[in-house]
Amino acid sequence: MNKIGAYIHIPFCEKKCYYCDFAAFPNLENWIRPYVSNLIKEMNFYRQRMDVIIDTIYIGGGTPSYIDARLIEEIVEEIYKFKTDIKEFTIEANPNSLNKEKLKTYKKLGINRISLGVQSFDDRVLKNIGRNHTRERALRDIDLIREAGFKNLSFDLMLNLPGQDMDSVKKDLDFVKKINPDHISWYSLILDKGSRFYALDKEGKLDLMDSDLEVDIFDMIIDELSRLNLKRYEVSNFAKQGFESLHNKKYWNGEGYFGFGLGASGYLLNTRYTNTRNLAIYDKFIRENKLPIINKEFIDRDEKEKEYIIFKLREAQGINLKTFKEKFKADFLEKYKESVDKFYRDGFFEISDRISFTKKGFSLSNEFFLEII
C-alpha cells in the first residue's frame, strides 16, 4: 500500500509579515472554528475515497500555533482516522504564540518536530520585516520547546532582509552556535507578488543587499553551519545526520502527498492539485460536499522527468545516474549532454555515479534548469 505525506494548512496568524504572500490572514477570529470544521470534512472526503497509509504530517500556515491547541487536537484526531505509520510529524510555530500547555498538547498528539519561524535574531531586522516577536522571545520559546521534550527542533532564518548586513548575519550565526539546533532552513528573501515588500520594491523603496554580497554571505553561512555538523542537504536546508526533513523529501522525490486546507497543494495519482485561497469559496465548496480544488494538472512522463531533475538537483546528493536511467529509460549525461558539458567545464557540476551541483554551481542552478525545460 502506498505511503504518502499529508500537508495541513492553517491560514490564521496574529500579524502578516511584510514578505508574506501565503494564504494567511490576521484578525479573522470568527473564521477559525468554522474553518477547522471544514478542514475536517475535507480530510474525511479523501479518507472515504482513498486507501493509503500516511507516514509524514506537516501542519503549516499561517501560524498553526496561533490557534487553540484543542482545535489542533481535533484536526489530528481526524488525520489519525486514516491508516498511519508516522515517521515524522511537524508543526510550524512562531515565537509569541507558544506556551507550555500548547507544547504539552502537541507532544501528546504525537507531534515530534517543531519548525520555528525565527527569521532573524536582530531586533532591528525583525521590526523591518514586520515580525511581532523579539530575539528574547524567540530564545525563550526555543527553551520552552526543548524543556517540553522535543528532540527535533528546526527553525527558519532569512537572508537579504532590509537592514541586514554581514555583521547582522554573523550575530545570527553566533546564536545558532549557542542553540545548536537539529535543522535549519536558511532562505533568501523572495519578493512574491502580492506581498508588501513586492510593492515597495516596485516603488524603489526597498533597500536590499548587492547580489554578490548575498552570495558571499551565504557561502560563509554554509561553511559555518558545516562546522556545527549542520550539513547542506538541499539548496536552503541544513541538518545534522538523521534530521533531514522526511516530509520535504517527499516533494523532492516526486512522492505522493495530500494537501488539506486553504491554498494547499497535493500530488496524487500523477495529478497535482491546488485548493482555493479564498475562505468564502472554500467554505462554499465544503458545504456543498465538493473538494475545494480550483486547479488540476496531470503530470505526464516528460513533465515528471523535468520535475525530477529540478528537485533532485536541488539536493546536495544530486541525481543517481543509474536510478535516473531505470526511471526514465534514458542516459542523463547523453540526453542533456550539451548543457551538462557547458556547466561541467565551468566547474558547476561534480560527476561520478551521480551528478550534483558544486557549491558555486548551486547559485546558478536556475540557469541550468531554464536550459533543459
Side-chain angles (χ1 to χ4, degrees):
M1 188 177 295
N2 285 343
K3 291 190 176 182
I4 66 174
Y7 174 81
I8 304 167
H9 192 72
I10 307 297
F12 305 103
C13 54
E14 184 177 353
K15 181 184 179 185
K16 192 155 186 173
C17 304
Y18 301 156
Y19 55 81
C20 179
D21 186 39
F22 298 140
F25 308 99
N27 304 314
L28 287 181
E29 306 303 308
N30 292 338
W31 274 94
I32 295 177
R33 172 71 265 182
Y35 175 80
V36 170
S37 297
N38 284 336
L39 183 60
I40 288 170
K41 289 176 184 175
E42 182 192 356
M43 288 191 283
N44 188 41
F45 289 162
Y46 281 98
R47 185 166 56 83
Q48 291 178 358
R49 292 164 170 79
M50 297 191 68
D51 189 18
V52 296
I53 297 173
I54 293 175
D55 64 347
T56 66
I57 305 172
Y58 193 106
I59 304 179
T63 307
S65 56
Y66 175 67
I67 71 173
D68 194 298
R70 287 173 295 183
L71 297 177
I72 296 293
E73 189 169 4
E74 289 181 29
I75 293 166
V76 173
E77 286 174 354
E78 185 64 29
I79 203 75
Y80 280 152
K81 291 179 183 176
F82 286 82
K83 294 175 182 175
T84 59
D85 180 22
I86 305 301
K87 300 292 188 285
E88 179 185 270
F89 190 163
T90 304
I91 189 168
E92 288 183 348
N94 275 338
N96 256 358
S97 65
L98 287 173
N99 56 46
K100 289 182 180 180
E101 287 306 309
K102 282 184 179 179
L103 289 166
K104 184 178 178 181
T105 299
Y106 299 163
K107 189 79 172 171
K108 181 187 74 173
L109 294 173
I111 294 172
N112 56 22
R113 183 174 184 268
I114 303 284
S115 179
L116 191 68
V118 175
Q119 317 313 354
S120 173
F121 289 102
D122 186 325
D123 285 343
R124 179 175 54 90
V125 172
L126 289 170
K127 185 176 181 180
N128 288 346
I129 63 176
R131 298 294 283 177
N132 66 344
H133 73 269
T134 61
R135 173 179 64 212
E136 181 181 357
R137 186 70 185 216
L139 294 172
R140 192 213 70 165
D141 285 350
I142 287 168
D143 286 341
L144 281 179
I145 292 167
R146 287 265 173 76
E147 290 166 7
F150 287 93
K151 305 297 184 185
N152 193 344
L153 167 65
S154 175
F155 54 78
D156 291 353
L157 290 171
M158 295 181 70
L159 182 62
N160 196 19
L161 299 173
Q164 198 177 45
D165 56 20
M166 178 72 84
D167 286 342
S168 175
V169 174
K170 284 182 176 178
K171 289 175 183 175
D172 284 347
L173 281 165
D174 286 340
F175 281 103
V176 171
K177 292 172 187 176
K178 292 174 185 175
I179 295 162
N180 192 24
D182 309 297
H183 185 285
I184 285 183
S185 298
W186 207 317
Y187 301 102
S188 284
L189 173 67
I190 296 174
L191 297 172
D192 287 316
K193 191 172 183 179
S195 68
R196 180 170 175 175
F197 275 173
Y198 180 87
L200 288 173
D201 185 61
K202 288 297 181 184
E203 296 170 8
K205 296 179 180 178
L206 203 61
D207 184 22
L208 302 177
M209 290 178 185
D210 173 82
S211 59
D212 289 339
L213 175 61
E214 183 182 0
V215 170
D216 290 343
I217 290 177
F218 198 63
D219 282 347
M220 177 194 70
I221 288 170
I222 295 167
D223 291 341
E224 290 299 314
L225 292 182
S226 180
R227 293 187 180 98
L228 300 174
N229 292 318
L230 287 160
K231 304 297 184 184
R232 187 188 198 186
Y233 72 100
E234 193 267 348
V235 173
S236 303
N237 286 278
F238 305 79
K240 292 180 180 176
Q241 187 172 358
F243 286 93
E244 298 88 354
S245 171
L246 299 180
H247 184 79
N248 285 346
K249 282 189 171 184
K250 287 192 178 292
Y251 304 151
W252 306 331
N253 290 334
E255 298 174 26
Y257 54 92
F258 288 116
F260 298 126
L262 200 75
S265 292
Y267 181 59
L268 301 169
L269 304 174
N270 294 322
T271 301
R272 183 168 292 109
Y273 67 89
T274 305
N275 286 348
T276 178
R277 290 168 59 103
N278 185 300
L279 269 171
I281 293 175
Y282 180 82
D283 179 67
K284 180 176 182 291
F285 269 82
I286 299 297
R287 283 191 289 106
E288 293 176 353
N289 292 316
K290 297 176 182 176
L291 292 173
I293 294 170
I294 58 165
N295 186 58
K296 275 186 178 182
E297 179 188 7
F298 178 76
I299 308 300
D300 63 20
R301 182 186 177 84
D302 288 342
E303 184 66 22
K304 192 178 291 188
E305 180 179 321
K306 295 293 193 296
E307 289 190 358
Y308 183 85
I309 293 169
I310 291 170
F311 283 128
K312 295 304 290 183
L313 283 178
R314 284 181 59 89
E315 295 184 89
Q317 66 178 3
I319 295 172
N320 182 298
L321 297 173
K322 181 180 178 183
T323 301
F324 182 90
K325 193 167 189 176
E326 290 171 351
K327 286 178 73 72
F328 300 107
K329 312 303 181 198
D331 185 311
F332 180 88
L333 299 181
E334 285 297 322
K335 186 169 183 177
Y336 300 101
K337 181 176 178 22
E338 186 176 342
S339 297
V340 168
D341 286 351
K342 181 172 72 172
F343 275 73
Y344 182 69
R345 281 196 306 270
D346 291 335
F348 299 140
F349 273 137
E350 292 179 354
I351 301 175
S352 56
D353 61 335
R354 58 182 62 243
I355 181 169
S356 58
F357 282 116
T358 60
K359 186 178 177 182
K360 68 176 182 177
F362 266 123
S363 63
L364 291 171
S365 58
N366 285 341
E367 293 186 19
F368 177 77
F369 298 148
L370 287 173
E371 282 204 15
I372 66 169
I373 289 175

